[in-house]
């Protein structure tokens, strides 16, 4: 069974920082590029960031470029998202996912609330 | 950026009826299109990839069709478990990966 399990969500003040983690199991994590996707309240799915299988290539959505950093540790089967300068509009459920080729895999999500 | 437009935004259907959901791409994505089902509080679930290939464990009442810029997800006979939001997603040309705005399938 292929699994992705996110952690690290919580409540943070505007301007604050948070690190999300995603632990992979049941598939060859180090062979695949990985993504972060979010869903704000009453909104659709929004792609945020991608990292190549070996970490050498990264892409970001304009909405998070310069504030969020994606990284991975293949020795620990872990994907991370460092989020700085958080804004109210970053409030969302954050999913790690493999969604650019088969097999497609979604995590269960972790909630981030930005509030003073 | 490839924009995906889903219609309708909301679809009211009675159990047992057929549901037809549409997804239009702003430029050709070939058959690099997936459909995901999303229920509140749950992870999205892949239903269809490569426009028409059913994911493992997905009931055969779900089917996908189309290529280029026009795609359809059909649910042949709606079950109570199928009421959810459905998103199309292209993986032909990225970044950015893009999703449609979603179609909410609700009970009529």
């Amino acid at each position: 069974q292929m699994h992705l399990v996110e952690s690290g969500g919580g409540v943070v003040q505007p301007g604050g920082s948070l690190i999300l983690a995603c632990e992979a199991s049941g598939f060859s994590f180090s062979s695949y590029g990985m993504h972060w996707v979010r869903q704000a309240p009453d909104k659709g799915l929004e792609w945020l960031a991608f990292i190549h299988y070996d970490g050498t290539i990264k892409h970001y959505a304009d909405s998070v470029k310069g504030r969020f950093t994606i990284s991975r540790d293949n020795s620990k089967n872990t994907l991370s998202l460092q989020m700085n300068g958080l804004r109210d509009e970053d409030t969302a459920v954050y999913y790690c996912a493999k969604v650019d080729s088969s097999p497609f895999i979604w995590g269960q999500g972790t909630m981030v609330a930005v509030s003073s | 950026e490839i924009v995906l437009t889903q219609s309708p935004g909301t679809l009211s259907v009675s159990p047992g009826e057929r549901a037809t959901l549409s997804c239009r791409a702003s430029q050709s994505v070939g058959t690099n299109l997936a459909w995901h089902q999303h229920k509140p509080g749950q992870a999205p679930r892949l239903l269809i990839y490569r426009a028409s290939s059913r994911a493992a464990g997905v009931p055969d009442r779900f089917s996908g069709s189309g290529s280029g810029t026009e795609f359809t997800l059909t649910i042949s006979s709606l079950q109570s478990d199928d009421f959810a939001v459905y998103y199309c997603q292209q993986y032909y040309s990225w970044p950015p990966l893009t999703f449609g705005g979603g179609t909410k399938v609700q009970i009529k």
Side-chain angles (χ1 to χ4, degrees), chain B residues 7-40:
Chain B
S7 60
T10 303
L11 190 59
S12 297
V13 187
S14 299
E17 288 187 340
R18 182 186 193 92
T20 302
L21 289 65
S22 295
C23 176
R24 174 175 291 179
S26 59
Q27 61 191 78
S28 177
V29 299
T31 56
N32 294 283
L33 188 111
W35 290 93
H36 305 275
Q37 178 192 65
H38 198 195
K39 297 179 182 178

Side-chain angles (χ1 to χ4, degrees), chain B residues 15-83:
Chain B
E17 288 187 340
R18 182 186 193 92
T20 302
L21 289 65
S22 295
C23 176
R24 174 175 291 179
S26 59
Q27 61 191 78
S28 177
V29 299
T31 56
N32 294 283
L33 188 111
W35 290 93
H36 305 275
Q37 178 192 65
H38 198 195
K39 297 179 182 178
Q42 297 186 20
R45 174 196 182 194
L46 174 72
L47 297 176
I48 302 288
Y49 65 100
R50 213 185 298 142
S52 60
S53 297
R54 205 175 296 116
V58 173
D60 61 7
R61 63 180 181 271
F62 291 92
S63 63
S65 64
S67 65
T69 61
E70 300 283 343
F71 300 88
T72 301
L73 174 70
T74 301
I75 312 172
S76 59
S77 176
L78 265 152
Q79 307 297 304
S80 57
D81 191 47
D82 301 336
F83 293 99

Side-chain angles (χ1 to χ4, degrees), chain A residues 40 47 113:
Chain A
W47 173 81

